[in-house]
Amino acid sequence: MRLEHKTVRAELKMDDGGSGEARIATLNVVDKDGDVTLPGFFGDAQVAHLLPAHDWSHVPMGKGRVVERGDAAYVAFQINTEIAAARDWQSALKFDLANPPAIQEWSYGFRVHADAWKEEQRDGRRVRLMGPRPDGSPGAIVHEFSPVVVGAGEGTGTVAVKGRGARYVEELDAAVEALRSIVARTKAVRGLRREKGGDLAPDRLKAIREIAEELPGLGLELGELLTDVARTDPANLFADFIRVTGKARAALSS
């Protein structure tokens, strides 16, 4: 089972104590990745870690219980406010909710069991149906869920506002990781579609091309900023950022 991520503009409720609930999936509809999540895919009472931007090296900021209710799947979570980073994210989430429209995006990392999915044609496109396993147990293992700085799907571009000032190096790390995730996911999803004689949906291809076309100009600006800067400076992480996005172009032209 390979690790996958989905990014959503989740409906969120949260109280002042750090308890909350985020809607992470709508069942029985085709999502932007061409997947249909069926009832029973998540099941109930799965526990996942709350991490910042999928950083598995970071101490968990809390935990959550994944449940299905009605036509949706939710993560009911509790933030551990004893952790400084968790307090920062709690502040950012509260600010987002208090200043509508809420734009914070969430992403969850999960693995799909090999016997819990299949492909079929729907309305002229090939989709992946993800449901429970043949024995009725959940078809997915949800390892973690994360508030993310930059989402990989449509409607992205969210930057969280942290209390006491954002840590610059963390923002750089998150940006590099987001681009690497986009490249890896594009290769994986496109490879799967091409095996079946298809390709990514036109809107997905358009979004990726827009990213690839935007980055050269950013690279020139960053190159000027990096002039006479020591290689040990955190800003040099952006050099990785630009190199990685070159792979996105290659993935689209192959």
Side-chain angles (χ1 to χ4, degrees):
M1 296 185 293
R2 76 176 190 277
L3 183 68
E4 300 185 43
H5 294 93
K6 279 190 181 293
T7 303
V8 296
R9 182 70 54 79
E11 295 180 9
L12 178 68
K13 298 183 294 183
M14 191 176 69
D15 62 26
D16 290 338
S19 295
E21 182 176 80
R23 178 173 171 166
I24 62 171
T26 301
L27 307 179
N28 292 313
V29 300
V30 181
D31 68 17
K32 59 189 177 185
D33 295 320
D35 292 332
V36 178
T37 303
L38 303 175
F41 179 65
F42 292 106
D44 293 334
Q46 295 191 52
V47 177
H49 292 300
L50 172 60
L51 298 174
H54 298 301
D55 184 358
W56 285 41
S57 67
H58 197 285
V59 61
M61 301 188 302
K63 63 181 180 179
R65 177 172 175 258
V66 184
V67 299
E68 293 180 17
R69 189 169 68 245
D71 64 350
Y74 301 83
V75 174
F77 62 87
Q78 176 63 54
I79 294 175
N80 181 359
T81 56
E82 295 297 313
I83 298 172
R87 293 195 298 272
D88 287 342
W89 275 107
Q90 180 187 19
S91 177
L93 294 170
K94 288 173 63 177
F95 176 84
D96 190 44
L97 289 171
N99 294 273
I103 60 174
Q104 176 63 50
E105 294 191 342
W106 289 75
S107 183
Y108 57 96
F110 65 105
R111 298 183 189 275
V112 183
H113 291 287
D115 56 358
W117 68 276
K118 63 180 180 179
E119 289 195 336
E120 69 172 35
Q121 289 288 132
R122 282 197 180 184
D123 300 324
R125 64 181 296 194
R126 186 171 293 277
V127 300
R128 181 175 63 162
L129 301 180
M130 304 188 301
R133 306 184 75 179
D135 63 2
S137 61
I141 302 173
V142 181
H143 294 285
E144 45 89 6
F145 60 107
S146 302
V148 290
V149 177
V150 180
E154 59 192 16
T156 62
T158 302
V159 177
V161 181
K162 291 189 175 185
R164 299 186 299 280
R167 295 173 186 152
Y168 182 45
V169 69
E170 290 180 355
E171 292 184 11
L172 295 174
D173 286 339
V176 173
E177 182 57 33
L179 262 294
R180 286 177 173 152
S181 177
I182 290 172
V183 172
R185 187 68 190 271
T186 298
K187 291 172 66 176
V189 175
R190 201 178 199 198
L192 182 62
R193 299 290 187 266
R194 285 183 164 182
E195 286 178 5
K196 304 296 183 178
D199 205 338
L200 293 174
D203 57 340
R204 298 280 73 77
L205 291 170
K206 180 175 180 291
I208 296 169
R209 287 194 179 97
E210 288 176 350
I211 292 173
E213 290 168 0
E214 182 74 16
L215 287 167
L218 294 175
L220 290 175
E221 292 184 46
L222 291 168
E224 294 176 0
L225 293 173
L226 291 174
T227 302
D228 298 326
V229 176
R231 295 302 300 175
T232 56
D233 192 281
N236 285 291
L237 288 170
F238 270 115
D240 283 338
F241 182 96
I242 298 303
R243 283 194 293 272
V244 168
T245 54
K247 297 181 181 178
R249 286 175 172 269
L252 287 172
S253 61
S254 61

